[in-house]
Amino acid sequence: MTQKNRLSGGQIDRDTTLKFTFDGKEYEGHKGDTLASALLANNVRLMGRSFKYHRPRGPLTAGSEEPNAIVELRGGARQEPNTRATTAELFNGLMAKSQNRWPSLAFDAMAINDRFSNFLTAGFYYKTFMWPAAFWEKLYEPIIRKAAGLGSLSMKEDPDAYDKGFRHCDLLIIGAGPSGLMAALTAGRAGKEVILADEDFRMGGRLNSETLGIDNLAAADWAAQAVAELSTMNNVRLMPRTTVIGAFDHGIYGAVERISDHLHTPDAGKPRQILWRIYAPKTILCAGATERPIAFDNNDRPGIMLASAIRSYANRWAATPAQRIAVFTNNDDGHKTASDLHAKGIKIAAVVDTRPDAPLAENYEVLRGAQVIDSKGRLGLTFAEVKLADGTMRTLECGALGVSGGWNPNVHLTCHQRGRPAWNEALAAFVPGDTLPPGMTVAGAANGDMSTHGALTTGAAAARKALGLKGKAAKTPDAEDAPVTQTPFWYVEGCSRAWLDQQNDVTVKDVKLSHQEGFRSVEHLKRYTTLGMATDQGKTSNMGGLAIMAELAGKAIPEVGTTIFRPPYTPTAIGVMAGRMKGMEFHPTRLTPSHFWAKERGAVFVEVGNWLRAQWFPIEGETHWRESVDREVTATRNSVGVCDCTTLGKIDVQGTDAAAFLNKVYCNGFAKLAVGKTRYGLMLREDGIAMDDGTAGRLAEDHFVVTTTTANAAKVYQHLEFLRQCLFPDMDVQLISTTEAWAQYAVAGPNSRKLLQKIVDPEFDISNDAFPFMACGNITVCGGLRARLFRISFSGELAFEIAVPSRYGDALMRQLMKEGEEFDVTPYGTEALGVMRIEKGHAAGNELNGTTTANNLGMGRMVSKAKDSIGSKLSERPGLNEADALKQVGIKPLDPSKKITAGGHLMNADGPVDAKHDQGYVTSAAFSPSLDSMIGLGFLKNGAERLGEKMRLVSPVTDLTVEVEIVSAHFIDPEGERVRA
Amino acid sequence: MIINHPLLGPRDSAEFVYLGDAAMIDRPNPETASPQDWHDYAYLRENPAGEHRELWFHEGGDRSWLVITRNTLTHEISKVEIARDVARKMGRSK
């Protein structure tokens, strides 16, 4: 028989046998198993190695609180480290591997750490690796990094999809145990919109693990019946395999639904997981409770588990870690495990109860007033050493030991908004405090109501109260209602290497050391020892650590206090946080109307904000981008080029106060701009720093079209709305973003007018006299298509920008190419655009970099003193206007073949090269085919007065020193004759 | 967070863009303000642990600016106003 430790009964489907491997060895389990239950059924207790000491470990629990049985699932790109064997649902073909061991789980070379444990105690990082300081970076850190961590990453891209979604309800119920089911039944029957979420794949919580009865039904059957009733209600949404990971502001909850983790691979078109954002005005937390262990020496051997976990494996999964089991308890619950196991045919070695008056049992021995003080067994438990009430020792032979120290309410989600749990003396445990996330109530064991009857009653009552239900409450099903009191018993006297936090290898000794060395507050204790800082957030360990610290400090536990919990409740894959937003889907990709035309032309694209813009258009024979860019620049300057500038922000400004409004927006004047004219405008921030620039064309007395840079389009629009709504609330002005409404193209070069004349309808005269530099107007093209024409130039050539409604953008571009054949019209991309604007000395994003003023940009005199505009007052500050203020200049290497780079700093021709002697810096650089030289733009102290000066351009980072000459920033056509041609 | 927009009802805060202290509405009068007034307006912000009036922009919605009174300790939002109404009340009408 392959499943040696498989028992009778349970909620597994024995007709469905599933094959799986663990560390390469094949096993069989059943549908309904977890990886842990199937391994236990196959007599495998050893499932991992501990973090620091590499001690052999098996499962401690049967749920998501598991600190030990942490494995790597699947292979290839789907390999997932650090998953809990106790929650991993078994499927056919599941491949699991143990972690943190080499060469094998049974023989781990790093287990040598265990021998040196005296050097690896609390705070060893701070002590051991301190001297000499120089060793840290080169030696200690790499060693620690190599030794740290548990699982390994595949380093391959995750092939699965993740989604995000939104859900709304009247009532969210977290946890589908007795209180959650009862709350859902109460709210569901009342017709309310209910979401019931549970992390398990089978709803019912502890009811699935218990043999007690509810209303003459077995607990698990009652749960199944409740779930069946709920599933018939259209107003109730059952969400199994869904962990509510966080309670956020205003009744918003994060929940991760595992859609495909129980499948070999996700079904076609299905995501692996979904991150839900659940909006719930009311929430009932029914998260149950977690059993707590008792610390004794060597209490971490495989086979030593929480008593309730052994009971779960036996009752729910029909699996047992061993055929002979002992129980160590301080409360009645531990006895339940013994009697359930006995009923399943397991031999009970003894029940060791710390209480002198513990109840006796008919079928097995109860050792009253006794304690387990040590254990034996190299890779798994073989013997438990018991100190009897009379002080004599007794050795119990057993393959597993169930430990029960009482139960802790699962208060985690009540702390997510800094709520502090409160101490409950009768339970010797923390229960939810007074300050809960708004809209949340807590019911059942999570609130300290430990009996089944209590859970059912409080679940129903919480739902009635949360929803304000009137009328007579339905009868609570009959269930056990034994009063539960818990007397604290945290650890056995004199223990030392007794594990509290098994995942982070923190022992009783470490806590004592922390106290001895003065790290006594709970927050210090946590950080010094790493207690509770592992991926389980100390669900099974925090209380033990607190209790020991309290005892050492001579205080009560509530005086010592407790740390609180943060989201996520359980470890969450980064992939589900990202959802679909990865790679190019991280943000929307915006395409211009002529994008596909550009693609046909073989354009190379560049991301600019969300946009894809053509960077250059290589033609046959060109092997380097510079060849393409140089050609595009030269062709434009010699004849005509066309560039897609649709991505520039466009804001329509209308209203009788439109001109007055723009007078506030721009530092230069707009009130007197004539209809049919365009003007360059510079926007300042209120602190006087340049914010953005662009043009504004006046199409009518009360109608302007404002352009912004591509990068700042959204920000400028937001800024303008702020001015309109908050600063000038009664100006008659309306704004609308029309960036997407118009496709816009720059047509530049000496032949640009000739080309446009071929497509502009003949009734519109665009000759130099009728349509001079900076003219603008509404026109029609191609026989009646409405368009806007602006005679503006970024390139420094005779140039126009023409805009048509977006849907005609592609057609217009093709038409320009066709009509332009006789001029060898050349499309150009953002690189050529950049080269030409540097040649012309136009500032762009590199110069408007958030530190520069109008004065720096050589536009100081543009700031009108005749009117108030945003930033005008603070731009007058003396600090921004000193004699040696930076001024924009042009930079040319003395040797034209020398390269200059943006980011380099300007230093005097002689003298030291250091920050103190810094004279300025280079913002933009490019090769100018027109000048056959590298050129650059930059800012230089008192630059306007230093034209002709020879300086050094240095970049210590790239080891660059070039001799340069400071020149006018207007490399091309400084008189501006071309633009007016 | 959920922001109860005065015109649109409860909206997720993800639809909004945060700017900061609502004191930014109180731009100094350019006719009368001193350099100190401008300095304080541009650079000084209250940063209370507790109730704070702040500006939010409904960028993914109706593009209105709102003045939201939010407790920075609890994130409780006690008041939501249309910023334009606030500006008018502060005498910013022309």
Side-chain angles (χ1 to χ4, degrees), chain A residues 315-331:
Chain A
N315 289 333
R316 176 174 169 182
W317 286 288
T320 181
Q323 294 296 330
R324 188 181 165 86
I325 296 178
V327 171
F328 178 28
T329 184
N330 73 336
N331 65 85

Side-chain angles (χ1 to χ4, degrees), chain A residues 249-250 252 277 279 657 686-687 717-718 721-722 724-727 729-730 735 868-870 873-874 877, chain B residues 1-2 12 24-25 27 30 38 41-43 55 57 63-65 75 77 83-84 87-88 92-94:
Chain A
D249 292 311
H250 304 173
I252 301 175
R277 185 186 274 238
Y279 296 79
D657 290 326
E686 196 68 90
D687 63 0
Y717 182 78
Q718 178 190 330
E721 284 289 4
F722 174 74
R724 186 180 78 92
Q725 296 176 37
C726 299
L727 298 190
D730 285 313
L735 307 173
D868 166 54
S869 66
I870 302 301
K873 279 288 183 304
L874 285 171
R877 281 181 287 167
Chain B
M1 290 197 296
I2 292 174
D12 193 292
M24 274 181 270
I25 296 175
R27 185 173 184 260
W38 283 105
Y41 173 68
Y43 294 111
L55 283 159
F57 181 53
R63 295 167 289 156
S64 58
W65 279 95
H75 293 185
I77 292 175
R84 176 176 251 160
R88 282 177 176 146
R92 296 212 63 87
S93 297
K94 61 179 175 181

